[in-house]
Amino acid sequence: NAGVTQTPKFRILKIGQSMTLQCTQDMNHNYMYWYRQDPGMGLKLIYYSVGAGITDKGEVPNGYNVSRSTTEDFPLRLELAAPSQTSVYFCASSRPVKENEKLFFGSGTQLSVL
Amino acid sequence: AQSVTQPDIHITVSEGASLELRCNYSYGATPYLFWYVQSPGQGLQLLLKYFSGDTLVQGIKGFEAEFKRSQSSFNLRKPSVHWSDAAEYFCAVCSSNTGKLIFGQGTTLQVKP
């Protein structure tokens, strides 16, 4: 059971480039989340999804887009990368919170925009 | 609006001393509340959770937390801290309606020998 798989683990982008961070889970979880973690700032919610075809903005959605065409996959798209998007990105999944007790996290993607 | 505040960015305690980490939340209904711990270079590990019922919840590693609706708080406590407890601690609140889960900015715990 792979859990939550994120790719890539590391990436360096130039300003203005775009990329997609991939996230897939094999636990049939409805809920999926994207967070970014900056030193001293905790985890900030970018986007989340409660099921295929349903996405919603989190705390810091600007500069990002997501889609949820299947239960398993929840890719995060960065358009026109900016230095402010340098961060560690975590994808997470869970069953509906009232049915379960915790998130399953991916191992993270360390992104640098130079 | 849903929010979480951890007022203490950094706390230092002596090994064996008691610990309390503060967490305040803002949410219109009864929230789902969590405490996670993150050791350097590691992922987040769930310590405990509150959904409903008994307001004092027990977690792993000897931690407990108390939900106080009147104070909008969910403080984490441990009677006697061990050196291995040094880590970053995150409080989180989840909307029971939307599933939106947000985290506080974290409290870094340092343990003195």
Side-chain angles (χ1 to χ4, degrees):
Chain A
N1 198 343
V4 180
T5 303
Q6 276 183 248
T7 56
K9 293 188 183 303
F10 303 94
R11 184 73 185 267
I12 298 175
L13 286 181
K14 294 182 180 179
I15 295 172
Q17 287 185 319
S18 62
M19 76 164 293
T20 299
L21 280 65
Q22 301 292 343
C23 177
T24 187
Q25 50 89 13
D26 61 359
M27 297 171 283
N28 201 33
H29 285 167
N30 288 330
Y31 286 24
M32 296 188 75
Y33 304 84
W34 274 107
Y35 295 92
R36 58 177 288 173
Q37 185 174 25
D38 303 304
M41 299 297 291
L43 289 99
K44 292 295 187 183
L45 179 64
I46 304 171
Y47 272 94
Y48 68 106
S49 169
V50 299
I54 305 169
T55 62
D56 209 346
K57 295 178 180 179
E59 303 169 277
V60 290
N62 292 343
Y64 306 94
N65 277 300
V66 294
S67 59
R68 185 92 184 271
S69 57
T70 67
T71 299
E72 294 77 20
D73 301 306
F74 190 42
L76 178 71
R77 179 79 176 168
L78 279 71
E79 304 282 2
L80 299 174
S84 62
Q85 294 177 305
T86 294
S87 189
V88 180
Y89 292 83
F90 290 98
C91 179
S93 74
S94 75
R95 292 198 293 271
V97 177
K98 59 184 177 181
E99 298 177 11
N100 196 5
E101 69 278 0
K102 69 175 185 179
L103 295 180
F104 289 79
F105 283 90
S107 57
T109 298
Q110 188 166 331
L111 175 67
S112 296
V113 182
L114 305 175
Chain B
Q2 183 180 346
S3 68
V4 186
T5 302
Q6 293 179 243
D8 305 305
I9 296 174
H10 191 106
I11 284 184
T12 300
V13 299
S14 298
E15 190 169 15
S18 63
L19 171 70
E20 182 170 31
L21 302 182
R22 296 184 290 164
C23 173
N24 296 100
Y25 70 90
S26 174
Y27 181 64
T30 298
Y32 298 145
L33 296 161
F34 306 83
W35 274 99
Y36 282 84
V37 60
Q38 185 179 35
S39 298
Q42 303 296 314
L44 276 78
Q45 180 181 22
L46 178 69
L47 286 175
L48 47 78
K49 63 191 183 294
Y50 173 78
F51 285 170
S52 64
D54 192 348
T55 56
L56 183 63
V57 294
Q58 302 296 321
I60 62 171
K61 302 184 179 185
F63 286 94
E64 67 177 25
E66 186 171 12
F67 170 59
K68 293 185 177 180
R69 183 188 303 275
S70 61
Q71 299 177 20
S72 297
S73 69
F74 189 57
N75 295 347
L76 182 71
R77 300 193 294 251
K78 186 170 185 178
S80 177
V81 171
H82 188 263
W83 64 266
S84 61
D85 293 325
E88 190 155 21
Y89 291 80
F90 295 97
C91 181
V93 59
C94 185
S95 165
S96 54
N97 295 328
T98 67
K100 183 178 182 180
L101 175 60
I102 63 173
F103 288 78
Q105 69 267 41
T107 298
T108 300
L109 174 65
Q110 184 178 1
V111 180
K112 295 190 300 185

